[in-house]
Every structure is written in structure tokens, then in C-alpha cells.
Amino acid sequence: MSNKVLWSGRFSGAPDEGTLAFTSSLSVDSVLAWYDAVGSVAHAKMLVEQKIIPRADGDKIIAGLKDIIAQIEEDSFDFNETLEDVHSNIEFDLTEHIGEAGGRLHTARSRNDQVATDFRMFMRDVVMDSAESLLVLQGALIAKARLNVDTVMPGFTHVQHAQPVSFGFHLMAHVFKLQRDVDRLLDSYKRLNVSPLGSAALAGSTYPIDRQMTARMLGFDGPTHNAMDSVSDRDFALEYSFCAALIMDHLSAMSEELVLWSSQEFGFVEIADAYSTGSSIMPQKKNPDVAELIRGRTASTTGNLMTMLMLLKGLPLSYNRDLQEDKGTVIASYETVTACLSMMAPMIATLSVNKERMLAATSQGFLNATDLADYLVTKGVPFRQAHEIVGKVVRHCIDQNKRIDDLSVAELKKFSAKIGKEVKGFISVQSCMNRRTSYGGTSPASVNSQIEVAEEVANGQVEFCDAERDRMVKVWNDLLRP
Ligand code: ARG
């Protein structure tokens, strides 16, 4: 390993190779290369505009950086593994190509504000990307829900049959959770999208830098307000870690249902062959491994969130090398979220729904017991009394091994004289479901309005993402291709 570092002057001895290997972050931060070089273009332009470095040197720096950016874009930039990080790689490469002028680039900045800037730029793309992947899954769920607003199935609490709901209603419950996930990501964007560049090591700069200018050139809403905060803040990465962990909690819950529902015991759904796997010994097997792995990988995103929380705990201001550990965990969460969303969306889109099995399941577990009580309420019985009466009906049914629907009107009358023959239609599972017309309820009309609301919200989210993507294209064009 070479001992080429950005800070050799003060040292009389060369760093131990083990130390260099131990402290290197290149394996993780090389993903920041494009952002690093682009951030440097903005910094160099500002240094020229503010007459901090000569224009001729600035021009050389910018031309050299643009070469590097082109190489990074075509994946041909030659990373030197012996250099300690992505920042050293780009600066040494630049100086190698343009000579001494390259040595002026680092005027009025530090790797501390540089890495914070790079990471925020990178995280903007990560946040956008995760939001867009979530929107694709939402689309698949909404499409499936639309086809199933009339599909009756048991609704559960405690995994016990509770009340009849539609499969579409159940799917829409997941949609709204994912919509909040998108909302959270997009909300974090405004805290993320500020520029630490120019905070320098921790205390700001003695040069007449223009932080508003670099912030604008890099598409940030503005500069951060305190240099010391800027080089030590990783809230934005922690927020993403939380968003990722929660997205995975949501996907894990969905996966758990897919696993249960595709079992022989339920048989509510069948996962497409394309998203299932077999057994090496049992020829008959078709296993929901993709869903299980999504559920399993939730462990790591939760772990990564804990890692970020612990990493930031008790750090004295300002920059500490501990902060270097942030990127690996956040990137790991991002990769997991991306991979899991990319599997869940087509798995939902291709899921077959066994409506007969769902309907058959509604005959078990007294799903219409609440509705029989509600029926008595329509006859003037106070709900608490109605609840007691129906409890006795259910007890009777359990003893007789019958369903409520099996009892004749005459038998039902023994529990309450108020029961009339129209009770039969009232307590059919279909009518139990259809009558839940309250806002947010499971009736087909309510679910259709939920779909409308969700689509309107999703359209707004898509518009935000598209506008932001377009804005960034323009930002990069203005900066790099004037
Ligand atoms: N690799 C470092 C990181 O990710 C870059 C900043 C290094 N700064 C320093 N003072 N050692 O945090």
C-alpha cells in the first residue's frame, strides 16, 4: 500500500499500512464519487467568482473535474485502492492530470463539509428513488384492490375471525401505510436539501466564500446555518434509516400475510410461480421464499436504524471519525428497501386471489355476530343488552356445532322476541360488509372512495417526484453543461 495521503506534511513517519487499511472508507464512499466531483465543480466556480483563486486555475480545475465526471459516468474512473477515501481519489487524480492548479481546489473547504455535502446530494437521490419504488408498489396494490371491492373475506383481529371485509379494503389498508411512508420520505427531503458546503472544518472560513452561490449551483434550498452543526449533523441519514426500517416493517407485515394466506390452511391467494421456489427433496412444494426473505431482511433494516442511533449517541461536537461509519449502514438499508420493493410490486400484481376460499372462510367464526347485535339495536334493544343476547346465541351455536345462519327464525326468537324473519338477509356476510358505509369502512362504495383518495394522494406524490427530478436535471445541466 502506498502512503499517499492529503495530510503528510506534519508527519515524520509514514502511516502504518494497517492504519491506512483500517481507516479507509473507499470501499463504501466510492458511490459518492460523482457527487464529490460535481460538488467540487460548484466550489471551484465559486472560488473563481469570489476571486479567491485565479480564473485560469479555476478553468483548469473545472475542465479536469468534468473529465473525471465523464469517466465516473461511464464507469471508467480508475479508483486507487491505496488512497484513503473518495475525496483523496478525486483530488489526487485531478492534480495528476492538471498539475499544480489542482492544489487550489481545497481552498476554503475541508473534507468535513465536503463529505456532508456529497452525502446529502447522494441521499436526495436515495430518498427520491425509494419514494418512487413505493409508488410503484402502491399502484400494484390499488389495481388489485379495484378488482376486489366485492370480494368478501374474513377480517381479523388477533388472527381471529372478526367481521367480514372485502379483500380490496384489506389491500387499501396497506396502501395508506405505504403512502405515509412516501410522505415521510418526501417530508424529510426539505431537511435534507440544504448545503453544508463552506462550513469547512467546523468553524466556517476566513475567505470571502459565497455559500448561497454553491448551494444554488448544487440544487439545495440554501446553505445550512451553523458550520459546527453542519459537519456533525447526520440527522438526514438517520431519518432515512428510520423511513427504511418502517417501510420494511410494512413490507414484512404484508409478507407475513402472503405466507399465511398461501398456506393450505388458508388458501386465500396463490403467489405466481415466478415469485416462488421449490424444494430439493419434496417434489410437491411451492414455497413463498420471496415473501419470507422480505420478512427476514426486515431484521437488518431495523438493525441499521439501531446502528445509526448508536453511532450518533454521545458524540462531542463537531466532526468525529465515527461519522464515517454512517454511509455503509444507510446504503445497506437503501439496497434492502430497493430490492424488497422491486420484488413485492410484481408479486402483488401477479397474485391470484381465490375468491371461493375467501368466501367459504367467512362461514366460520361468527363474523356476523356484531351485525346480529346491530339488528337487535334497530329493534330498539340497547347495544349492551343486544351484545349479551348474541353472546348467548353464539354459545348455543358452539354447543350445537352450528353457525348463526343455520338457526331458524323460530330458534332465534327464543333468544329475543324482537327477532323477525328479515334477520336472515340482514346478517348475510355480503350485507354485513355492504352496510359498513361509514367513512373509511369496508362497503364497496367506501372502498371506491378510498381508492379515489389514495390515487389523488399518489398523483400528488408522483408530481412532486417528477418535478424534483426535472429540477435536478436542469440544475446539473446549468452547472455542468453551460
Ligand atoms: N471519510 C471521511 C468520512 O466519511 C471523510 C472525512 C474525513 N475527515 C477527517 N477529518 N478525517 O467521514
Side-chain angles (χ1 to χ4, degrees), residues 70-90:
Q71 288 166 38
I72 295 167
E73 284 176 353
E74 65 199 24
D75 212 14
S76 66
F77 182 78
D78 193 12
F79 284 100
N80 180 344
E81 302 294 332
T82 68
L83 298 178
E84 67 175 326
D85 56 26
V86 65
H87 323 293
S88 322
N89 256 277
I90 289 176

Side-chain angles (χ1 to χ4, degrees), residues 25 29 85 87 111-112 115 319 321 323-324 327:
S25 55
D29 64 21
D85 56 26
H87 323 293
R111 277 184 297 168
N112 297 351
V115 72
Y319 179 84
R321 193 63 177 262
L323 293 176
Q324 179 170 293
K327 284 161 231 77

